Amino acid sequence: MHCGPPDMVCETKIVAAEDHEALPGAKKDALLAAAGAMWPPLPAAPGPAAAPAAPPPAPGPQPHGDAGGAGPPEGRGVYIREIRAAEQEAARRIFYDGIMERIPNTAFRGLRQHPRTQLLYVLLAALCFALTRSLLLTCLVPAGLLGLRYYYSRKVVLAYLDCALHTDMADIEQYYMKPPGSCFWVAVLDGNVVGIVAARAHAADNTVELLRMSVDSRFRGKGIAKALGRKVLEFALVHNYSAVVLGTTAVKVAAHKLYESLGFRHMGSSDRYVMPGMTLSLAERLFFQVRYHRYRLQLREE
């Protein structure tokens, strides 16, 4: 089975302009000010004390495009910064937990996105009744079909996780922090990692891909996911990219509202997306489907 870098949670491509060099300090500050106008500040996160304002970034290039400063001291409010070596295990836990939520979401909620599959299941139940004339057996058909959807969703998602945890998520520092144009950020609340997001450059087509956006379920609803998204958009502005293109298989409506709140436009969807871990067997096609959505945010005209 081919095991490339998976992209189930969220993948984003940032289409680059020709100049990839870091901007001068004054121009970088101006772009960050523009970013602040595009994306107003988030409400202060609850904590023992209000987070102090971050100092202005020093002139000159910063490593990995971590614009906007390091943020307030540990343990005081929510802020976004580059991952540290000791935090890789916490990042993997958040990623794992976020992906495991996809099992029931894909199996049950996701069925609403596939009317043809719903029709097929209704026909199977009708066929069962026509053959058996048993209401009991006919009523058991939907339960059996949903059970098979859960089984195959779990099977594919676990295969996807196995791919991810043996590729980029196995060594985040090596995969994201060392290559030029790549970075991995964490959201920190009260000294704990509560969210993650990554960006990775593709030199062949001058793009940067955003991966692994996820927030600990205990800390959702605080604007952390939006702050992570803003970090990547700031990264795109500071490094002179022209647009951000987002693709996701997320089922929850809240995820799509998040992208729209950041300024993304929905560019279409496909039911033929093949994610890492899929075998495309007949049973899998019957009981596991995902819809792939594409979004685009144009930062400036090319």
Side-chain angles (χ1 to χ4, degrees), residues 22-26 28 57-62:
L23 298 177
K28 180 185 294 186
Q62 299 177 2

Side-chain angles (χ1 to χ4, degrees), residues 14-39:
I14 304 174
V15 185
E18 293 181 359
D19 182 11
H20 291 267
E21 296 299 322
L23 298 177
K27 189 172 182 181
K28 180 185 294 186
D29 292 347
L31 285 174
L32 288 177
M38 291 172 66
W39 310 299

Side-chain angles (χ1 to χ4, degrees), residues 58-230:
Q62 299 177 2
H64 296 290
D66 196 8
E74 295 283 356
R76 303 187 67 182
V78 179
Y79 66 104
I80 313 298
R81 60 162 169 76
E82 294 178 8
I83 193 171
R84 298 170 181 171
E87 296 167 338
Q88 292 197 45
E89 192 57 40
R92 280 189 285 268
R93 176 189 58 79
I94 292 172
F95 169 71
Y96 180 92
D97 291 346
I99 293 296
M100 289 298 288
E101 291 180 13
R102 293 299 180 92
I103 296 174
N105 287 337
T106 303
F108 306 134
R109 288 188 182 184
L111 182 58
R112 294 180 295 181
Q113 297 179 346
H114 303 280
R116 292 183 180 179
T117 302
Q118 295 178 41
L119 178 60
L120 175 62
Y121 292 175
V122 170
L123 292 176
L124 289 174
L127 179 62
C128 176
F129 180 76
L131 293 175
T132 65
R133 298 294 176 179
S134 170
L135 287 175
L136 177 60
L137 290 177
T138 302
C139 291
L140 290 176
V141 169
L145 293 172
L146 290 177
L148 286 169
R149 286 187 64 86
Y150 184 88
Y151 170 81
Y152 280 99
S153 293
R154 181 178 175 84
K155 178 177 178 290
V156 174
V157 167
L158 289 177
Y160 169 87
L161 277 170
D162 185 65
C163 286
L165 295 174
H166 285 86
T167 51
D168 60 309
M169 295 301 289
D171 191 342
I172 295 171
E173 183 175 3
Q174 178 67 33
Y175 201 89
Y176 290 109
M177 304 308 293
K178 292 184 178 180
S182 298
C183 195
F184 197 105
W185 295 277
V186 293
V188 180
L189 173 63
D190 296 333
N192 299 311
V193 174
V194 298
I196 60 173
V197 70
R200 185 184 62 186
H202 294 282
D205 56 359
N206 292 329
T207 64
V208 174
E209 187 177 13
L210 183 153
L211 298 165
R212 311 312 187 205
M213 182 186 288
S214 188
V215 176
D216 190 314
S217 60
R218 297 170 296 176
F219 299 95
R220 292 174 187 165
K222 301 179 184 295
I224 295 173
K226 183 174 286 189
L228 289 166
R230 287 173 178 171

Side-chain angles (χ1 to χ4, degrees), residues 221-246:
K222 301 179 184 295
I224 295 173
K226 183 174 286 189
L228 289 166
R230 287 173 178 171
K231 175 58 69 175
V232 176
L233 299 183
E234 290 173 7
F235 181 87
L237 283 169
V238 170
H239 289 80
N240 208 29
Y241 297 110
S242 59
V244 181
V245 180
L246 168 67

